[in-house]
């Protein structure tokens, strides 16, 4: 397997050649890939193993779709071409990229496409800021370059050297796979559904490797990326709260493609209404003015929750139901009539039976039930032992057929 060293050789040829040389000195074969978008090509062509034109050929629109006078367009198109190029290679042992904001935006989409576990290092001038747009749900290591990635100096020599050695070490020492690994399950959790998820995990951990994902917007996306990669063979999507933030405008929203990996892979899928009673915001003073008269609950100084209304629950139920209808694998969606979170219970701040019932009826009106796709109403709260036991029972029933 080879280390792929990627960057714009017209502006960063020396730095990329330095990184490639260090990796090869560690006994790991390296491939230098130019993703420069200037029409003239790179001045360092002699050291390049894969030219920018070769990469551009992997763009769906061909080479002319990549090289244009609009730099922003060219970078986006080259990013798309790089995804196609890396996806076509069977010898990718690891990837290292160098760049500023443009180079980082160009290289990381292709990194995100690679399976979890393939080493990915991005040395970047923007790695000390908000890296979520670059990392997404993937295991990309972002290393701040300290100085600009421009020339070899006493700072860049050390930073780039450490990055090169880190990647070489990872490629040369793959993590051994355990033969005794149990099949993996994905579970989604929030603080207000923790008792439920912990009970389910305890019941299944003898047979399964239970991977719990925090439903923070990227949590559900990360779980679905692993489903797509074939690393998760079943899902207990107990906490579907990210949909509330998507539809109402909270800060922990998933994307419109939430649930799509379940639709494509048809893995056994048991889900519920965990925390569909809440939309998340930051500190109280960050809540949008339009929501200030709503039922707000300060969870902690950094997190303010807003109760979803009857109308919002109807929309949430229809949205989830439409996704469930596209699932052809075994699906069970369990409805907890006694409340969808710890604070949606009698005497608690988000107790609102009318809003819950609107959600449940919207689901029932939308979901086209079949022997494979069933809604199951239960007279329990989501964190009740009886509800956790039902989730486990339904999962076992569909996982073994």
């Amino acid at each position: 397997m080879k280390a792929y060293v990627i960057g714009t050789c017209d502006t960063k040829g020396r730095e990329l050649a330095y990184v490639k040389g260090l990796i090869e000195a560690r006994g790991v074969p390296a491939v230098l890939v130019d993703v420069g978008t200037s029409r003239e090509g790179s001045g360092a062509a002699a050291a390049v193993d894969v030219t920018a034109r070769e990469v551009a050929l992997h763009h769906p629109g061909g080479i002319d779709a990549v090289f244009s006078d609009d730099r922003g367009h060219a970078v986006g198109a080259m990013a798309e071409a790089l995804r196609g190029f890396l996806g076509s290679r069977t010898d990718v042992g690891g990837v290292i990229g160098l760049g500023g904001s443009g180079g980082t935006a160009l290289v990381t989409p292709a990194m995100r496409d690679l399976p979890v576990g393939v080493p990915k290092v991005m040395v970047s001038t923007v790695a000390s800021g908000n890296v979520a747009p670059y990392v997404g749900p993937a295991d990309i290591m972002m290393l701040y370059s300290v100085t600009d990635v421009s020339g070899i100096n006493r700072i860049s020599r050390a930073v780039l050297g450490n990055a090169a050695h880190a990647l070489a070490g990872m490629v040369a020492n793959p993590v051994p796979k355990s033969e005794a690994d149990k099949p993996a399950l994905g579970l989604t959790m929030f603080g207000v559904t923790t008792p439920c998820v912990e009970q389910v995990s305890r019941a299944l951990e003898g047979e399964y490797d239970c991977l719990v994902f925090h439903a923070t917007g990227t949590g559900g996306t990360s779980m679905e990326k692993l489903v797509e990669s074939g690393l998760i063979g079943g899902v207990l999507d107990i906490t579907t709260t990210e949909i509330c933030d998507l539809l109402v405008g909270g800060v922990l929203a998933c994307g419109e493609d939430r649930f799509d990996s379940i639709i494509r892979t048809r893995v056994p899928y048991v889900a519920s209404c965990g925390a569909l009673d809440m939309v998340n915001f930051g500190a109280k003073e960050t809540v949008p003015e339009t929501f200030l008269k709503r039922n707000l609950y300060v969870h902690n100084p950094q997190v303010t929750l807003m109760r979803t209304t009857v109308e919002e629950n109807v929309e949430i139920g229809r949205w989830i139901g439409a996704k469930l209808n596209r699932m052809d694998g075994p699906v069970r969606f369990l409805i907890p009539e006694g409340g969808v979170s710890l604070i949606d219970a009698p005497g608690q701040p988000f107790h609102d039976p009318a809003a819950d019932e609107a959600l449940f009826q919207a689901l029932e009106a939308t979901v086209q039930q079949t022997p494979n796709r069933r809604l199951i109403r239960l007279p329990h709260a989501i964190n009740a032992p009886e509800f956790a036991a039902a989730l486990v029972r339904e999962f076992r029933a569909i996982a073994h057929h």
Side-chain angles (χ1 to χ4, degrees):
M1 302 299 272
K2 295 173 181 165
Y4 278 69
V5 181
I6 305 176
T8 52
C9 291
D10 47 354
T11 57
K12 304 196 171 16
R14 279 182 61 203
E15 301 85 338
L16 290 157
Y18 171 66
V19 166
K20 180 189 177 187
L22 289 178
I23 291 171
E24 290 184 327
R26 287 281 162 271
V28 174
V31 180
L32 179 52
V33 180
D34 182 15
V35 288
T37 53
S38 70
R39 286 183 188 278
E40 292 72 54
S42 85
V48 172
D49 299 303
V50 180
T51 66
R53 293 184 71 79
E54 288 176 72
V55 175
L57 287 170
H58 288 79
H59 190 283
I63 202 161
D64 293 334
V66 176
F67 297 106
S68 74
D69 296 325
D70 179 342
R71 180 169 182 268
H73 171 82
V75 167
M78 184 61 92
E80 180 72 15
L82 180 61
R83 291 174 68 184
F85 167 75
L86 265 192
S88 72
R89 309 294 276 208
T90 56
D91 59 352
V92 180
V95 178
I96 183 166
L98 319 179
S101 60
T104 305
L106 199 165
V107 177
T108 50
M111 287 184 170
R112 290 197 299 271
D113 286 349
L114 294 169
V116 170
V118 174
K120 313 161 184 73
V121 178
M122 186 71 218
V123 185
S124 170
T125 60
V126 295
S128 186
N130 172 22
V131 296
Y134 307 111
V135 176
D139 56 336
I140 296 172
M141 295 173 64
M142 298 287 288
L143 181 62
Y144 182 47
S145 59
V146 185
T147 59
D148 197 1
V149 184
S150 179
I152 302 294
N153 54 54
R154 67 185 61 190
I155 303 298
S156 64
R157 179 178 285 111
V159 174
L160 294 175
N162 283 339
H165 289 152
L167 188 80
M170 288 188 280
V171 176
N173 301 280
V175 180
K177 286 191 167 57
S178 163
E179 289 309 306
D181 277 353
K182 295 177 277 201
L185 283 190
L187 302 95
T188 49
M189 185 171 87
F190 231 18
V192 291
T193 61
T194 297
C196 175
V197 176
E198 286 184 338
Q199 293 172 77
V200 170
S201 293
R202 274 199 301 275
L204 292 169
E205 65 191 4
E207 306 150 69
Y208 296 96
D209 193 7
C210 294
L211 315 182
V212 177
F213 297 84
H214 200 192
T216 54
T218 46
T221 309
S222 297
M223 178 179 75
E224 292 207 36
K225 180 172 171 58
L226 293 175
V227 169
E228 203 79 67
S229 300
L231 295 173
I232 288 181
V235 173
L236 282 137
D237 207 349
I238 294 163
T239 312
T240 43
T241 183
E242 294 164 331
I243 305 305
C244 302
D245 288 40
L246 172 68
L247 297 180
V248 182
V251 295
L252 299 182
C254 54
E256 291 280 348
D257 59 352
R258 183 73 165 84
F259 307 134
D260 287 2
S261 77
I262 315 295
I263 293 166
R264 287 190 290 269
T265 60
R266 304 181 178 188
V267 297
Y269 183 74
V270 172
S272 188
C273 310
L276 290 180
D277 55 336
M278 59 188 62
V279 179
N280 293 265
F281 296 103
K284 183 84 181 279
E285 58 272 15
T286 68
V287 176
E289 198 175 329
T290 45
F291 294 139
L292 288 177
K293 292 189 168 61
R294 295 276 297 270
N295 179 1
L296 299 175
Y297 175 72
V298 177
H299 183 63
N300 63 43
Q302 280 77 45
V303 176
T304 308
L305 309 175
M306 178 176 79
R307 181 56 163 108
T308 49
T309 62
V310 167
E311 294 74 22
E312 287 160 358
N313 273 288
V314 170
E315 187 187 0
I316 291 162
R318 286 176 180 158
W319 197 94
I320 292 174
K323 289 279 187 169
L324 295 177
N325 285 341
R326 292 170 54 203
M327 295 181 188
D328 295 325
V331 174
R332 301 289 181 269
F333 194 96
L334 276 59
I335 292 177
E337 292 177 335
V340 302
S341 83
L342 278 175
I343 58 172
D344 174 30
Q348 293 295 318
F350 280 6
H351 184 53
D352 187 344
D356 286 348
E357 190 53 38
L359 169 70
F360 304 157
Q361 288 187 8
L363 280 162
E364 289 186 322
T366 308
V367 175
Q368 297 152 6
Q369 297 202 52
T370 68
N372 226 19
R373 182 192 308 124
R374 289 176 43 206
L375 285 179
I376 301 169
R377 269 191 185 246
L378 293 160
H380 309 294
I382 196 161
N383 291 298
E386 297 87 346
F387 194 78
L391 288 164
V392 171
R393 189 169 61 244
E394 293 300 330
F395 183 76
R396 285 209 171 108
I398 62 173
H400 296 150
H401 80 191

